[in-house]
Structure formats: structure tokens, C-alpha cells
Amino acid sequence: MVDIDDLDRRIIQALMADGRASYGAVGAEVNLSAPAVKRRVDRLRERGVISGFTVKVDPALTGWTTEAYVELFCSRSTSGAEVLRRVEAYPEVIEAFTVTGDADTLLHVFAADMQHFERVLSEISAEPFVARTRSVLVLSPLLRREILSM
Amino acid sequence: MVDIDDLDRRIIQALMADGRASYGAVGAEVNLSAPAVKRRVDRLRERGVISGFTVKVDPALTGWTTEAYVELFCSRSTSGAEVLRRVEAYPEVIEAFTVTGDADTLLHVFAADMQHFERVLSEISAEPFVARTRSVLVLSPLLRREILSM
DNA sequence: CATGAAATAATGGCACA
DNA sequence: TGTGCCATTATTTCATG
């Protein structure tokens, strides 16, 4: 994909395991000095390979425990950009994709409860470009983890 | 959900924006001293509210750019635990849910390319408890962000 | 929870492969 | 270009009030 070498990959993996690990600790894992690790991390950030650092919070503790995937059947060929412009106004929508298959767009939605979800769904359904929706509600999350490839 | 107060919420929000921010910097945002912030973060980790810290990596740079959602129609009522046990063996599966609707289980899958995805899909389809699958391939990710509620 | 001190980590300069 | 080493600055972390 991009010119990141094996050392970069190992640094990223170490930081994926613990994003607050000191550069020295990361360096110990990859056999590099702390300044060397920092320089590489800085460069990875500059190039956009690393877009930032975050905290992993138990999703149940946000208060928004109702999770659903909503397929959008768009009336006519609406552009992805326009769909994005409309759906990003809903903080409940955390992911949006254009997809293959019957539907045109897939939305990943979180809401506080069923009533909240129903309200959001009816609002999205009322958007002019939406012909029809099909929702799949998450009953229980079995697995949630990060991509590890590379 | 859990007894986290407003200060905890603001600390978590600050750390979501920058997971490597110093406790002093976080404290400046929430009007707390660095040690006070650290104690709260330690306690949030102990209680599992904060499960850890990570680095945000450009998904395209992992090399696994083929993304899909796969609905699993299970033969008979297979338990969620058993589904989990089988699908977590695939590193390509990063999320799994039991869901409402026609299908029983929804899988979020990443693969290097179409061939890789096809191979994984046929392997999953061959699992004894899987009667049928329906895949939705992601054409382009329009939006990807975190829950912000709380 | 704040303060202050000691240990630890981050970061910029400099020499070297 | 990229690394290690060193010194300085900043941060973490633990004591005490």
C-alpha cells in the first residue's frame, strides 16, 4: 500500500496494543531507541498513516446501547457525497457505506433505546432521496476487535 | 449504565480526541490537576469503563481494503457462543453480532482483496452450522466516526 | 483534591554508519 | 537518510496535607 517498513509495522502493532506506551517501551519491543521510535511515529502521523490516538471505551457505557444496521434504498441514483452530507447530520450514524446488492447505502446506527432508534429511523426514512429502508437490529455483539493484518 | 460523573465524561472525551494527551493537558481542559486526572483514569480502567488505548491507523494502509458484511443463516438454532467460537478463528472477521431479521448472525469482514474474501467466505459457508450466507460488499466508505453521545 | 518532590519520559542537538 | 547517545524540558507518580 504504502512505503512503511517492517519496523513501522511493529511500532504500530505495539501502539495498537497500548496506545499510551512510552516510546522507550515501544523501542524495547522493536529494538530501537526511544528517540528513533518517536521520529518514526511523528513521520507516520505526518504521512497520515497514523491519524491519531484514542481511548477504547466500553460501548455499553456511552448510554447508546441500541445498535442497528440500516440499508437505504435510494430513489434515484443519488451521489455518495450527497448521502454523506445528509446522514452525517445524525450523530447516531457512525458509519456509512455505499454497497453492492439490493440496497445502495448501508448505515451503522447507535441509539439510546428503541424509541430513540425509531425516531432516527423515521427521520432518515423521510429524507427525500430515501425510497425505502431495511433495518437489522443487533441483539448481542459477539465479537468486536481490530484489524490485525499488515 | 454506570456511575461515571460529568468530570469522567469530559476526561474520556478529551482522551477520545487525543489518547496520548498528557494528564496535565487533560486537566487543563476539565479544570483538574494532573494527578487528579490520572487517578480518575486509573479508576476508569479498573472498572473496565476504559478498556485501553490505541492508535488510529488509516484502514487503507493495513492492506486489507476489501470490506464486507456477511449475513449468516444458521441451519438450526446454533448458540451465539458456538458461532463466536467458530468465527473468531478467522482474523478477517472483526465483528460478529446476533441480529433480528431473516439472518441469525451478521459478520463484519475485512480481506486483502476479492480473492481473499471469496476464500474466507467459502470457508465460512462450509462451517457445519451455516446454511446460507448473503454478502454485502462495501464499495466506498462514506463515513467512519466514533460514538459521541454520553 | 491540590501541592511538591523524585522518578520517568519526551524531545531536540550532535556525531556516526 | 536514519540511528544512537546525551542533555534539557516536561510529565508521571507518589508522598503528604
Side-chain angles (χ1 to χ4, degrees):
Chain A
M1 300 315 52
V2 176
D3 52 322
I4 57 171
D5 62 16
D6 194 58
L7 235 31
D8 289 328
R9 262 182 283 273
R10 286 163 63 200
I11 289 170
I12 288 170
Q13 274 165 358
L15 288 174
M16 277 182 13
D18 180 6
R20 265 188 101 87
S22 71
Y23 294 127
V26 175
E29 280 193 58
V30 303
N31 289 324
L32 231 54
S33 69
V37 173
K38 187 205 179 293
R39 278 191 293 261
R40 277 173 178 266
V41 171
D42 284 346
R43 185 132 178 284
L44 288 168
R45 297 187 71 152
E46 273 172 28
R47 292 192 291 162
V49 177
I50 289 176
S51 57
F53 293 87
T54 28
V55 59
K56 287 184 284 188
V57 180
D58 183 343
L61 301 173
T62 60
W64 288 13
T65 55
T66 300
E67 183 177 1
Y69 282 91
V70 179
E71 289 176 286
L72 258 45
F73 299 79
C74 299
S75 45
R76 54 189 182 288
S77 59
T78 318
S79 75
E82 184 172 350
V83 173
L84 172 59
R85 198 169 54 74
R86 307 301 288 259
V87 300
E88 73 179 350
Y90 299 90
E92 294 87 357
V93 177
I94 65 153
E95 287 181 303
F97 317 99
T98 57
V99 291
T100 62
D102 307 331
D104 310 288
T105 309
L106 181 65
L107 264 35
H108 188 186
V109 178
F110 274 90
D113 51 37
M114 229 22 176
Q115 283 165 356
H116 182 191
F117 175 69
E118 279 187 43
R119 183 174 57 74
V120 173
L121 181 61
S122 70
E123 282 175 25
I124 290 172
S125 300
E127 291 282 349
F129 62 89
V130 177
R132 188 165 79 79
T133 67
R134 189 176 82 94
S135 298
V136 172
L137 277 152
V138 171
L139 293 173
S140 66
L142 301 173
L143 176 68
R144 229 186 266 277
R145 64 182 171 195
E146 315 244 330
I147 292 185
L148 34 71
S149 69
M150 296 200 302
Chain B
M1 329 15 24
V2 174
D3 52 320
I4 57 171
D5 63 16
D6 194 57
L7 233 31
D8 289 328
R9 262 182 281 274
R10 285 162 64 200
I11 289 171
I12 289 171
Q13 274 166 357
L15 288 173
M16 279 186 4
D18 179 6
R20 267 187 98 89
S22 71
Y23 294 128
V26 174
E29 280 192 58
V30 303
N31 289 323
L32 232 53
S33 68
V37 173
K38 185 201 181 295
R39 272 195 303 274
R40 278 173 178 268
V41 171
D42 284 346
R43 189 140 168 280
L44 288 168
R45 297 187 73 151
E46 274 172 29
R47 292 193 291 163
V49 178
I50 289 176
S51 58
F53 293 87
T54 30
V55 59
K56 287 184 286 188
V57 180
D58 183 341
L61 301 172
T62 61
W64 288 12
T65 54
T66 301
E67 183 177 2
Y69 283 90
V70 179
E71 288 176 284
L72 257 45
F73 300 79
C74 299
S75 45
R76 54 189 181 289
S77 58
T78 317
S79 74
E82 184 171 351
V83 173
L84 171 60
R85 199 168 54 77
R86 307 302 288 260
V87 301
E88 73 180 350
Y90 299 90
E92 294 86 355
V93 177
I94 65 154
E95 287 182 302
F97 317 99
T98 58
V99 291
T100 64
D102 307 332
D104 309 289
T105 308
L106 181 65
L107 265 36
H108 188 186
V109 178
F110 274 89
D113 51 36
M114 230 20 177
Q115 282 164 356
H116 181 191
F117 174 69
E118 279 186 44
R119 184 174 57 75
V120 173
L121 181 61
S122 70
E123 282 176 25
I124 291 173
S125 301
E127 291 284 350
F129 63 88
V130 177
R132 186 165 81 78
T133 67
R134 189 176 81 95
S135 298
V136 172
L137 277 153
V138 171
L139 293 173
S140 67
L142 301 172
L143 174 69
R144 228 187 268 274
R145 64 181 172 195
E146 316 244 330
I147 292 184
L148 33 73
S149 69
M150 295 201 302

